[in-house]
Amino acid sequence: MNRWNHILAALLFAVPVLASARPAQAAGGVWLQRHDLPAAARAALYSAVSAEKARNPSAFEAVAQIKGCTLAGYSQTRLGKPLCGRELRVGKGEWLLPLLSALALQEPRAANGHVPYATAEERQAFAAGAIEAVGLLRDERAREVLHAAFTVAPAGQMADNAAEALGRLGGDRELATLVQSAKTPVRLQSALRGLGECKRIEAAKAIALGLAAAKSPNEVTLWANAAGRVASSWAWQAMVRAAPARATEASDVRTVAARALAEAMATTVDAVAVEELVQALQMTEHPQAVAMLAEVRGKTAPAHHARFAMASQRVADYLKRN
Amino acid sequence: MRNPFLATFCACLAATALGGCVPASNTPAGGAPDSGLAEVAVAADGAKTGGDATAAPDVPVIDPKIPVVDLVVDANRDGVAKFDDPGDQDHETTFDQKFGAVFLPNLDDDDQDKLEDWFDDKVNGNEDALDLAPIVVRPWPAAPEGTKGKIVIDKPELVRVWTKVDGEWGLLAGSFGSCDKPENCTTLGEFEFQADWLRTGIELRIEGKQLRMSKAADAWSGDVEIKLSVTLPDGKPAANKDAPDGTDTVKMRVAAWLLLGNLHDHDKWRSLRYGKSSSSYPFNADLDAAASQLAGKAVYETYESSSYADRWTQDFYQTGVVQMPGPGGKPQGYRMYNARPFYNAGGQTLPIIWMRKALLGQDQAILAVYKKPNSGTSYDSHGNHDLVPPYVNAKGDFHHGRIVTGSGVLPETWDWYDAQRVQGPILKLDSSWLIVGHIDEFSSYMPAKTPRGWKLMVGDNKMAKGMFEKAQADGFGKAKVFVGRQGFVNNKQASLEQTVDDVLVNKDILQWSQEADVKVAANVVKMKAEFEMNDDEIVSMPFLTEAEGSKKVAWQPGTVNCLVIGDHAMIPKPFGIIIDGVDVFEKDLLDRLGSAVHGLGSDGGGMKIKFVDDWYGYHINLGEVHCGTNPEMGPSAKLSWWDIAR
């Protein structure tokens, strides 16, 4: 292969990747460039990272050594594509600052010079996994980085992951960002990924309103999915176990979501959207879900009753399953 | 032109183009065809067997002057083409559940030269001859000198027709040449022969070059029509009451490929072999132990990474069988492996290239159905393609099983499956919610002593969650899962152990598990409806799920993702909750699946369960035992697909 062929091959490979990836910046991290983060936030993060690096350098080394986004790592997986979010979760809170540093300040590099990705695709996969891992920690120190990550992310997986991370963080600012973003068609999907993870009654109410106003089967599907996740009975059981005082909120969220889903069944005929409504209702495991469906069914024309019968049966069967 | 028999027919080819091939000597290569038969079976040496037509006691005496125009195939599927068998004679143009002749595509490599047997212009030994289906021209002992016969084949480009002269096989019609390029292929759709061949009769054999590949209207139906015409010395048709126009036509159908599933009688399974120092070696060690238990029934065969560095043995090829009826009720055919379109990340060669080296051989064939190398996605890995065991209900007859796939399979693969006409229409499930996207991540099948004969195994997050809750309620909240398991980081130095209490306050794991649970439930609804299945025919395999992005994968080892060989189940070791030294998840599976509780196993007494440690080799790499193994079997009377005619 001569030099021109090398260049051509590199361009052919790079173009589709760069369409969704952000270019590497010497002065930035794997996802955020220097100017993406407000100066004060950047300075604060730099300070915290420096202190942590001095205190616990092995955490930074460990993050730089993960394998799932290297060919040697993902060639062993069944998917065969770079994927390292699960691996980046292993360090839990100890890896928060190394991950924030990698995302916003400085690309990860091991002491021996090793970088945990090589191609643009691998680099983006690392960034996606890092954002997700950070989000799952629900640590307020990540707030500025996650907001910036969501702001700069084009629609797609990076935006979805950043939105979910914001939702998990779950403060007023995050909720407002997600609700506002849901009003923009290009951001709708990502915003709903985030709202579904925002386990608050305000999020549930926003989703209920959005579901009622959804204009297309695709929109119904997206809103319904968010409703099911925000009201996930299993997630709420875990939260109530950890904080029993949230029991009332859990009940309220599940009720708001279940009622909205039942109401949406009245006007939804698209098979994919109906299926999503059913599955979301199952996610709520609301004890009154079948009754809610019956109530809404009573307001609809007979032509719609078969759909309600199917949904009621599916939800009832799911609720009674051992 | 290695076969001297063909020298004569080379001239015939040119002559045919000018108006018909009539060898000057009247018989190819100067010999007489090895015939004069009442019946023809496929013997081990490929030669005819059977009696003399004139000596057959139940054949009525006929006027020798009455022309005999009779082409016979094995329409009654007893492996023999007989003149005097009404089953062969009366159904020679039909194909239904009881009657209809079959021929094999000769795609295995009996002479082990790493080329498919049809590829060269010779019969590659006695084993190869067994793969040729019989067609017989009935003798007309009194055929007058000057009488001519002619055989016409309607799809000569897809078949080859042979006969044996003086003990040597020769190619009479069909496609000649290797056909690796168009210029290397010549097609001859007919051949003529003289009275001396008619007087002795002719034993022909036919082989196909391919399976039926598509059910599209303009694609080959899989059927071939062969027509015999006999003319008298005066050029008029040699008519009789059964052949008033002096012709006789038979039809044959190319054999179908059958996909294999859990309830088949597998005699072998494969996986990658790791070095004993590898953290993945326990996978081999546990399967070696399982193989000891299966001694005499199935063998465990492994390949080294130096041969093919892909541990996902289930994924890069699909096992199946191609067969036709054979003598004595023993089908004739071979194993056929269908390749995945792409190689694994970092791999060097497509699966089909390795398969040609490692799998193509005697009674073993390989196939690439895909249209473009390196096309497709993870959905085209064969862990996303399975077989529902046999069932029959008002919705359909699937007594040879039904092919089931998840989302997103290449259209040519789906088309090819349905084109086989036996195990379709395909049941399509939703696997799009999984990271890897394979149906073996949530469904499997095991034998059971029930009217149906099997039960559906499904991944059950709800049950797993309940097991954690029970452990906590019983006072074992500090009990741990994943004891001794490490994962992912820096040579696995990070412990993944968690307490029951930890898990039950982990809202992410529980939400992801619930999302998976409703997805599995939706698939189960579809399967229950299709199979007309009761709840007690569904067996739960508990494990919790995690996610990356919006897609899911087993968080605990996905126990449903298991290898089933007969009454043996090789199940991923759960590394579940340890209470008083006992793994609660293992105990549950042993108690339910290994006993009569669910009536599993051929005697209903339970499966013989072997837990396989797949943690480092497979589980943390997004797969489990089924993904890393691939079982197979050869032709069997149980795979007599021709009793389903669609």
Side-chain angles (χ1 to χ4, degrees):
Chain A
M1 189 180 281
N2 64 32
R3 184 180 172 200
W4 284 108
N5 285 344
H6 275 297
I7 293 169
L8 182 61
L11 284 173
L12 286 172
F13 176 75
V15 166
V17 175
L18 292 178
S20 59
R22 311 195 80 220
Q25 292 288 313
V30 67
W31 186 243
L32 296 179
Q33 297 171 19
R34 187 181 182 87
H35 59 267
D36 290 334
L37 210 54
R42 182 178 172 81
L45 179 60
Y46 184 84
S47 176
V49 165
S50 296
E52 182 68 6
K53 198 174 280 184
R55 190 188 72 82
N56 188 12
S58 63
F60 290 80
E61 181 71 10
V63 166
Q65 293 283 3
I66 67 126
K67 296 182 172 61
C69 286
T70 67
L71 180 60
Y74 64 81
S75 64
Q76 306 305 311
T77 73
R78 200 180 192 196
L79 184 64
K81 293 180 178 175
L83 194 75
C84 46
R86 293 182 311 141
E87 195 174 351
L88 286 170
R89 292 174 206 161
V90 171
K92 300 180 182 171
E94 198 171 321
W95 286 8
L96 174 69
L97 286 166
L99 289 171
L100 292 176
S101 174
L103 283 167
L105 299 181
Q106 187 175 33
E107 299 203 38
R109 185 177 298 275
N112 63 1
H114 174 76
V115 177
Y117 42 79
T119 69
E121 181 189 15
E122 293 165 359
R123 185 169 175 272
Q124 178 159 323
F126 180 92
I131 289 171
E132 184 176 68
V134 166
L136 287 166
L137 293 171
R138 297 175 170 82
D139 191 311
E140 295 197 358
R141 288 175 290 174
R143 173 163 283 123
E144 296 300 333
V145 169
L146 292 177
H147 275 278
F150 182 59
T151 299
V152 303
Q157 187 199 4
M158 296 303 296
D160 289 357
N161 283 16
E164 287 188 8
L166 290 179
R168 287 179 177 126
L169 200 53
D172 291 346
R173 181 180 162 198
E174 289 73 48
L175 179 63
T177 297
L178 294 171
V179 169
Q180 186 63 31
S181 297
K183 295 174 182 172
T184 310
V186 72
R187 301 294 260 180
L188 177 63
Q189 174 177 315
S190 297
L192 290 179
R193 290 301 309 171
L195 281 173
E197 297 306 320
C198 189
K199 300 295 193 279
R200 295 174 54 167
I201 187 66
E202 295 89 345
K205 288 178 177 176
I207 291 169
L209 285 172
L211 179 56
K215 295 181 178 63
S216 68
N218 184 52
E219 283 190 14
V220 170
T221 302
L222 293 172
W223 285 104
N225 180 273
R229 285 181 294 115
V230 80
S232 162
S233 60
W234 296 13
W236 279 104
Q237 286 165 18
M239 289 186 283
V240 171
R241 281 189 195 103
R246 297 193 73 181
T248 302
E249 185 183 13
S251 176
D252 291 347
V253 166
R254 290 168 60 206
T255 299
V256 166
R259 184 161 296 284
L261 290 161
E263 293 283 352
M265 192 68 75
T267 53
T268 305
V269 296
D270 176 79
V272 172
V274 167
E275 178 62 33
E276 193 67 44
L277 289 171
V278 170
Q279 292 182 21
L281 264 172
Q282 290 174 331
M283 290 280 292
T284 72
E285 283 192 321
H286 197 286
Q288 298 302 313
V290 174
M292 291 175 185
L293 283 168
E295 184 185 329
V296 176
R297 175 183 178 273
K299 302 174 192 171
T300 62
H304 298 286
H305 289 181
R307 186 166 74 252
F308 278 91
M310 178 278 294
S312 296
Q313 187 66 52
R314 291 271 302 277
V315 173
D317 287 348
Y318 189 76
L319 289 175
K320 76 181 181 190
R321 188 159 67 87
N322 292 324
Chain B
M1 195 64 70
R2 286 157 288 186
N3 186 342
F5 185 95
L6 293 176
T8 301
F9 282 87
C10 188
C12 288
L13 287 173
T16 299
L18 298 172
C21 175
V22 184
S25 63
N26 286 342
T27 55
D34 296 351
S35 190
L37 316 172
E39 63 182 53
V40 176
V42 182
D45 64 353
K48 66 182 182 290
T49 61
D52 183 331
T54 58
D58 54 349
V59 175
V61 176
I62 53 176
D63 183 345
K65 293 178 183 173
I66 297 177
V68 177
V69 182
D70 194 5
L71 204 52
V72 185
V73 289
D74 178 26
N76 68 352
R77 299 165 178 168
D78 62 359
V80 185
K82 290 182 287 193
F83 308 139
D84 55 348
D85 189 329
D88 285 341
Q89 289 283 16
D90 298 346
H91 305 278
E92 59 193 17
T93 59
T94 59
F95 200 95
D96 58 26
Q97 286 89 341
K98 292 184 177 178
F99 297 101
V102 179
F103 65 100
L104 289 175
N106 202 356
L107 299 171
D108 63 346
D109 178 26
D110 288 325
D111 63 346
Q112 299 178 60
D113 64 351
K114 294 300 172 188
L115 292 171
E116 285 78 356
D117 284 339
W118 73 263
F119 192 77
D120 53 23
D121 292 340
K122 62 180 180 180
V123 174
N124 297 290
N126 293 339
E127 283 295 325
D128 189 25
L130 294 174
D131 292 335
L132 311 181
I135 307 170
V136 174
V137 177
R138 185 177 186 172
W140 180 15
E145 195 63 26
T147 305
K148 292 178 184 174
K150 183 166 76 173
I151 296 280
V152 178
I153 304 158
D154 73 337
K155 299 290 181 189
E157 69 278 15
L158 297 170
V159 299
R160 291 181 169 187
V161 175
W162 302 82
T163 194
K164 206 171 192 183
V165 175
D166 296 338
E168 187 172 5
W169 288 104
L171 190 52
L172 289 178
S175 76
F176 290 70
S178 66
C179 299
D180 53 343
K181 300 173 184 173
E183 59 268 30
N184 293 339
C185 195
T186 305
T187 298
L188 183 62
E190 62 184 52
F191 67 93
E192 289 189 2
F193 49 91
Q194 304 300 307
D196 53 346
W197 277 36
L198 266 175
R199 290 181 196 123
T200 59
I202 314 171
E203 174 194 341
L204 303 170
R205 298 288 170 83
I206 186 169
E207 65 179 346
K209 291 169 57 180
Q210 65 175 63
L211 292 153
R212 185 185 188 219
M213 299 306 291
S214 168
K215 63 182 192 310
D218 59 349
W220 179 40
S221 69
D223 293 344
V224 170
E225 187 175 282
I226 303 153
K227 183 178 181 182
L228 167 68
S229 306
V230 179
T231 54
L232 298 171
D234 60 5
K236 292 181 179 174
N240 63 33
K241 67 178 178 59
D242 294 327
D245 60 352
T247 69
D248 189 28
T249 299
V250 297
K251 282 186 180 175
M252 303 183 79
R253 175 166 291 185
V254 74
W257 176 85
L258 267 70
L259 191 148
L260 296 174
N262 280 8
L263 261 67
H264 282 126
D265 300 329
H266 300 299
D267 58 11
K268 179 193 293 186
W269 79 92
R270 276 191 193 82
S271 86
L272 184 64
R273 171 70 65 176
Y274 302 90
K276 289 191 176 177
S277 61
S278 166
S279 62
S280 302
Y281 180 71
F283 178 77
N284 290 138
D286 286 338
L287 288 176
D288 286 337
S292 297
Q293 296 170 0
L294 278 156
K297 296 176 184 170
V299 296
Y300 176 33
E301 189 173 295
T302 58
Y303 56 94
E304 305 287 334
S305 61
S306 58
S307 169
Y308 200 60
D310 191 334
R311 69 185 63 199
W312 306 102
T313 315
Q314 178 67 216
D315 288 344
F316 64 84
Y317 67 88
Q318 181 77 55
T319 60
V321 167
V322 177
Q323 64 178 42
M324 66 179 178
K330 184 183 175 191
Q332 176 64 31
Y334 48 81
R335 300 162 196 240
M336 175 177 265
Y337 312 92
N338 178 32
R340 185 179 65 182
F342 57 89
Y343 51 80
N344 62 321
Q348 297 300 309
T349 60
L350 287 167
I352 192 72
I353 295 174
W354 176 80
M355 290 161 66
R356 183 166 291 279
K357 293 177 187 170
L359 299 182
L360 180 64
Q362 183 174 335
D363 296 332
Q364 297 192 163
I366 61 172
L367 185 70
V369 172
Y370 53 83
K371 291 180 177 173
K372 287 199 300 189
N374 295 312
S375 59
T377 66
S378 179
Y379 295 134
D380 294 289
S381 287
H382 291 284
N384 195 35
H385 309 218
D386 202 350
L387 187 74
V388 179
Y391 72 96
V392 178
N393 60 27
K395 295 179 178 177
D397 177 352
F398 299 99
H399 72 262
H400 287 296
R402 182 176 186 185
I403 294 176
V404 55
T405 75
S407 310
V409 175
L410 280 171
E412 60 260 39
T413 306
W414 272 330
D415 184 26
W416 178 67
Y417 286 154
D418 274 343
Q420 304 313 302
R421 288 181 282 221
V422 179
Q423 298 171 312
I426 301 161
L427 177 62
K428 296 176 183 174
L429 301 177
D430 176 16
S431 61
S432 64
W433 51 280
L434 291 156
I435 293 173
V436 176
H438 295 180
I439 55 174
D440 68 356
E441 298 177 78
F442 63 84
S443 63
S444 186
Y445 311 89
M446 288 188 190
K449 192 176 183 185
T450 62
R452 188 185 298 275
W454 54 271
K455 290 195 175 186
L456 169 66
M457 325 303 287
V458 294
D460 192 333
N461 285 269
K462 199 166 196 172
M463 181 177 181
K465 170 172 164 279
M467 292 168 73
F468 278 89
E469 290 168 340
K470 181 177 187 308
Q472 188 181 60
D474 290 346
F476 298 106
K478 301 304 177 194
K480 289 183 175 178
V481 290
F482 305 158
V483 173
R485 296 298 95 186
Q486 299 174 324
F488 298 116
V489 181
N490 295 350
N491 299 319
K492 305 182 295 298
Q493 68 186 13
S495 171
L496 296 181
E497 290 182 6
Q498 299 200 29
T499 67
V500 168
D501 289 342
D502 291 338
V503 173
L504 288 175
V505 295
N506 188 328
K507 52 187 169 290
D508 298 311
I509 288 293
L510 291 187
Q511 180 181 314
W512 292 330
S513 295
Q514 190 181 23
E515 289 179 62
D517 199 61
V518 299
K519 292 295 182 187
V520 173
N523 280 307
V524 168
V525 165
K526 189 170 188 176
M527 288 191 276
K528 273 183 68 177
E530 287 293 329
F531 308 158
E532 297 182 350
M533 180 173 260
N534 299 318
D535 286 341
D536 64 2
E537 295 182 279
I538 301 171
V539 178
S540 293
M541 305 291 278
F543 57 91
L544 294 176
T545 300
E546 65 178 320
E548 185 151 350
S550 61
K551 303 292 179 89
K552 310 296 185 296
V553 71
W555 181 62
Q556 296 178 272
T559 45
V560 74
N561 192 326
C562 58
L563 173 66
V564 177
I565 305 277
D567 285 343
H568 295 251
M570 280 69 92
I571 297 175
K573 186 174 175 59
F575 294 104
I577 305 166
I578 303 296
I579 296 177
D580 295 334
V582 175
D583 184 326
V584 171
F585 279 72
E586 277 194 22
K587 183 174 186 304
D588 164 69
L589 292 170
L590 287 168
D591 287 350
R592 290 186 301 115
L593 277 62
S595 73
V597 168
H598 288 302
L600 295 175
S602 56
D603 64 359
M607 299 291 285
K608 297 172 181 64
I609 293 174
K610 172 66 182 172
F611 290 110
V612 176
D613 179 355
D614 70 355
W615 185 275
Y616 294 119
Y618 296 87
H619 175 65
I620 65 171
N621 289 315
L622 303 168
E624 310 286 357
V625 173
H626 187 258
C627 320
T629 55
N630 209 339
E632 63 180 73
M633 66 177 287
S636 162
K638 294 180 181 176
L639 301 176
S640 299
W641 57 270
W642 39 85
D643 61 10
I644 287 185
R646 294 188 169 120

